[in-house]
Amino acid sequence: MPYPDLLEKLRATVGAKNVLTGIKKTAYYRSGFRSGIGSALAVVFPETLLQQWHILQHCVNGGCAIIMQGAKTGLTEGSCPSGHDYARPVIIINTRQLTKLILLDGGKQVLALPGASLHQLENLLRPLGRMPHSVIGSTSIGATIVGGIANNAGGALCKRGSSYTELSLFAQVDATGKLQLVDHLGIRNLGKTPEQIFERLESGQIDSDDLEAQHTPASDREYAKRIRDLEGGLPNRYNADPRRLFELSGSAGKVAAFAVRVDTYPLPKKEQVFFIGTDQPDDLTELRQQILTKFKELPEMCEYMNRDIFNVTERYGKDVFLSIKHIGTRRLPKAYALKSAIEHRLNKLQFLPRFLPDLLLYHVSRLFPQHLPPRLLEYRDRFNYYLMLSMSDDGIEEARKYLGQEWKLCGEGDFFECTPQEQEAALLHRFAAAGAAIRYQTLHQKNTEEVLALDIALLGNDPNWIESIPPEIEAQLDLSLDYGHFMCHVFHRDYIFKKGTDLHEMKAKLLECLDKKGAKYPAEHNVGHLYDAEPHLKSFYHQLDPTNTFNPGVGRTSKARLPVSSC
């Protein structure tokens, strides 16, 4: 190790309590939300921006690989080490103690430090009648604003697209191996030195008169126009979209964020969820085309499920549903951390089944009464395909008129307007779907391989959005599940294969089918360590991080340290 006193320097910087070492204490932070694990010398928790800066300096001087980590809610292993072959010390810097939010221009924008969460932002903005730039599935379990931007997190919103900003403060290691602070926040008189800049930000004293770059995008402001283009040659949003790769945005942890400036949006005065069912995919294709081309108001969101994922979520996602409803979202991040720590210890005991806490949660949830309202269950029995269409303000009457007078009369489907209780249940049920496949596989781990999960973006005019699985793949399947963001044409597909199936072969065949359709993947969970980065994305990573110091190996790139330049 070229810097033998590194741990002592880290402890001197943040205090011994904020430096974790050892396999057991670091297990949670070294593992991914769904899968993946690797080695790390230490996990460090800065309490101030200046501490984060000094940690970075120590790590860069020590020749370490650095992994920036927020809430660790990503699904493709991108915020944890991958394996044990970095050939240098790995330091994880977890930013969850840096949670300050600063309202700008009366709340029209917000400045967020790297550990601030979307859920925290929602609570801050609600009294002002405003809402965040993005709402994603993992909002409820603590996803950070910076993490969403760094990974182009997609989310469910039809009007605002993936998380994005061009206004940020970040550190990067340049080609000569030096750590540099890059200030593109667009705020006058912020300071000339890192110490001055950090002190000003953490004071929270930023006046509206100091704001510049008002026309610089602090969210994906073009998405509402892009989603209506049904003839575009590319999907309207996906992680590697060159139009949405800019410095911190899409960086996948190849730089270290200190602050971002993001837009906020007016909170709708009224919202209404329409629950829609049909047995004919063409009914939903027609509905989508009419909404995107004829409606004045876009939906807030439009979530799709098929019967299989509905049923699996009802049974295997029940504990998640009940936890969010009754325990609340504030406690969930700590609960997940505790569960992961327990799992890590129990999984070492060979005489116990793997993921025993999941098994217990499943069986406990079965003791509770039916949690879904009768009308949702009735539609589940009547139809194979469902939409949860959320409209706001003037769009409510627009949707009500179209569904009742045109769509229902021409197709074979039906709909109803949700009560507040049905609306909450429908959206919670859709959220719980994200982990239902994992839970199903855990309960059937003796007979199935681990879940193969794909998130894909189809072309806007692709009428064959219902997947046709080739027979040679179908023969190896135990279960396939399909759900997603329907207006965006972004789908999540979870495949559970029979024991003994070659998952690498199956994944290659599935991706080959998607390539023929012009689809892009991943659509919103980023490449992490599960996907190959496209050439232009690799080039973007190298431009940001020419020495490969930050998050080495992401996008299945090399983990090796790259030589520094003398110029």
Side-chain angles (χ1 to χ4, degrees):
M1 182 174 172
Y3 200 177
D5 59 346
L6 176 62
L7 291 178
E8 285 73 15
K9 287 186 176 292
L10 294 177
R11 292 186 181 108
T13 300
V14 299
K17 69 175 182 178
N18 287 320
V19 180
L20 297 183
T21 59
I23 293 176
K24 293 181 180 179
K25 291 183 179 180
T26 61
Y28 172 71
Y29 303 96
R30 293 186 293 104
S31 60
F33 187 82
R34 274 187 175 173
S35 62
I37 193 167
S39 300
L41 177 66
V43 184
V44 190
F45 302 86
E47 294 180 331
T48 67
L49 295 178
L50 186 58
Q51 285 184 358
Q52 179 171 308
W53 175 251
H54 288 323
I55 293 167
L56 290 170
Q57 289 178 316
H58 293 319
C59 292
V60 171
N61 292 338
C64 299
I66 302 170
I67 296 176
M68 301 302 300
Q69 186 180 89
K72 202 176 70 69
T73 61
L75 300 180
T76 55
E77 306 177 8
S79 58
C80 69
S82 179
H84 314 280
D85 55 344
Y86 286 83
R88 48 185 159 153
V90 176
I91 301 295
I92 299 171
I93 302 177
N94 186 287
T95 63
R96 287 308 307 277
Q97 298 191 72
L98 303 172
T99 60
K100 193 175 190 65
L101 290 170
I102 303 169
L103 294 172
L104 305 176
D105 194 15
K108 293 179 181 178
Q109 289 189 330
V110 168
L111 190 143
L113 298 196
S117 71
L118 279 166
H119 184 253
Q120 179 188 349
L121 180 56
E122 281 184 344
N123 291 336
L124 177 68
L125 293 175
R126 191 174 292 112
L128 304 178
R130 301 191 72 82
M131 61 188 299
H133 60 291
S134 178
V135 176
I136 59 178
S138 52
T139 296
S140 297
I141 55 173
T144 62
I145 298 165
V146 162
I149 291 169
N151 290 294
N152 291 131
L157 298 181
C158 298
K159 297 179 178 179
R160 297 197 282 284
S162 302
S163 299
Y164 181 77
T165 188
E166 294 180 10
L167 299 171
S168 63
L169 174 71
F170 61 92
Q172 63 183 154
V173 176
D174 65 20
T176 67
K178 294 182 179 179
L179 185 69
Q180 306 285 354
L181 187 66
V182 180
D183 176 16
H184 288 163
L185 279 175
I187 298 174
R188 294 188 193 93
N189 306 315
L190 196 55
K192 295 183 179 180
T193 67
E195 290 79 4
Q196 291 171 342
I197 292 171
F198 300 149
E199 182 179 0
R200 177 81 184 282
L201 290 178
E202 291 181 321
S203 75
Q205 302 302 311
I206 298 176
D207 299 326
S208 296
D209 293 340
D210 291 331
L211 300 180
E212 298 178 316
Q214 297 285 26
H215 299 293
T216 301
S219 63
D220 188 352
R221 297 175 183 175
E222 299 175 353
Y223 188 71
K225 178 180 178 180
R226 218 163 56 245
I227 193 177
R228 290 184 183 271
D229 181 10
L230 299 181
E231 302 301 326
L234 290 171
N236 51 56
R237 65 173 170 92
Y238 62 101
N239 286 133
D241 188 344
R243 299 168 293 184
R244 291 297 170 267
L245 299 176
F246 186 88
E247 296 181 342
L248 180 62
S249 295
S251 63
K254 298 300 286 183
V255 296
F258 282 83
V260 292
R261 183 173 154 189
V262 293
D263 292 329
T264 72
Y265 288 81
L267 196 67
K269 296 177 182 177
K270 297 183 296 182
E271 286 190 75
Q272 178 63 55
V273 171
F274 298 86
F275 197 89
I276 299 166
T278 184
D279 283 332
Q280 302 299 325
D282 288 346
D283 289 350
L284 301 185
T285 300
E286 175 65 19
L287 181 147
R288 178 175 180 270
Q289 291 175 341
Q290 289 296 315
I291 290 178
L292 293 181
T293 60
K294 301 291 180 62
F295 277 32
K296 292 182 180 180
E297 295 292 329
L298 285 171
E300 292 296 319
M301 62 179 70
C302 185
E303 296 299 287
Y304 162 75
M305 300 178 79
N306 67 5
R307 180 181 283 167
D308 285 342
I309 186 63
F310 189 109
N311 287 335
V312 168
T313 304
E314 179 196 3
R315 186 176 181 90
Y316 298 94
K318 187 175 180 178
D319 65 292
V320 174
F321 181 107
L322 295 174
S323 296
I324 297 174
K325 183 174 181 178
H326 298 295
I327 297 176
T329 55
R330 290 186 179 182
R331 298 182 181 92
L332 282 182
K334 290 184 178 180
Y336 273 99
L338 176 62
K339 172 176 165 290
S340 179
I342 294 172
E343 279 181 351
H344 177 78
R345 295 187 180 186
L346 294 180
N347 284 347
K348 291 183 176 181
L349 303 177
Q350 299 298 319
F351 60 89
L352 292 177
R354 287 175 57 79
F355 306 110
L356 184 58
D358 269 335
L359 300 178
L360 294 176
L361 286 171
Y362 165 77
H363 288 294
V364 169
S365 73
R366 301 294 294 167
L367 300 177
F368 286 78
Q370 174 58 252
H371 59 294
L372 295 179
R375 285 206 290 183
L376 267 64
L377 297 172
E378 176 197 347
Y379 267 53
R380 182 272 310 276
D381 295 336
R382 288 176 60 189
F383 302 112
N384 281 304
Y385 311 111
Y386 325 99
L387 292 184
M388 284 147 274
L389 175 66
S390 177
M391 303 297 297
S392 61
D393 299 333
D394 294 341
I396 296 173
E397 186 58 36
E398 197 171 13
R400 182 180 290 138
K401 181 178 178 180
Y402 169 71
L403 288 170
Q405 297 182 9
E406 296 182 46
W407 181 80
K408 186 175 177 180
L409 296 178
C410 297
E412 299 181 19
D414 204 349
F415 77 97
F416 66 86
E417 296 188 31
C418 292
T419 65
Q421 293 76 19
E422 290 170 334
Q423 175 174 317
E424 178 190 33
L427 296 180
L428 275 178
H429 189 61
R430 167 60 185 88
F431 171 78
I438 301 292
R439 178 62 54 74
Y440 174 92
Q441 193 278 329
T442 299
L443 267 292
H444 299 84
Q445 56 188 281
K446 292 182 179 179
N447 301 313
T448 61
E449 296 292 335
E450 292 189 358
V451 176
L452 173 56
L454 301 180
D455 63 297
I456 63 170
L458 301 180
L459 294 176
N461 62 353
D462 190 340
N464 299 315
W465 53 271
I466 293 290
E467 184 178 26
S468 177
I469 300 177
E472 65 272 21
I473 298 177
E474 184 78 43
Q476 302 301 317
L477 273 172
D478 178 75
L479 187 67
S480 64
L481 306 171
D482 195 11
Y483 54 104
H485 316 301
F486 191 63
M487 292 295 154
C488 308
H489 252 201
V490 168
F491 294 89
H492 302 288
R493 291 175 177 168
D494 294 336
Y495 307 89
I496 303 172
F497 287 94
K498 299 172 185 176
K499 203 71 172 180
T501 303
D502 186 334
L503 294 187
H504 294 290
E505 179 185 359
M506 292 297 106
K507 184 176 181 178
K509 289 182 177 180
L510 289 166
L511 296 183
E512 183 181 355
C513 294
L514 292 172
D515 290 337
K516 291 177 181 178
K517 292 167 64 69
K520 289 290 186 178
Y521 49 84
E524 59 181 16
H525 291 159
N526 218 331
V527 289
H529 292 284
L530 299 183
Y531 293 90
D532 293 315
E534 295 186 38
H536 73 273
L537 187 57
K538 291 180 181 179
S539 177
F540 175 65
Y541 291 161
H542 182 71
Q543 177 187 353
L544 291 175
D545 185 25
T547 64
N548 204 24
T549 295
F550 288 99
N551 212 3
V554 68
R556 291 180 172 172
T557 57
S558 171
K559 294 178 184 175
R561 178 182 173 88
L562 298 179
V564 300
S565 168
S566 59
C567 301

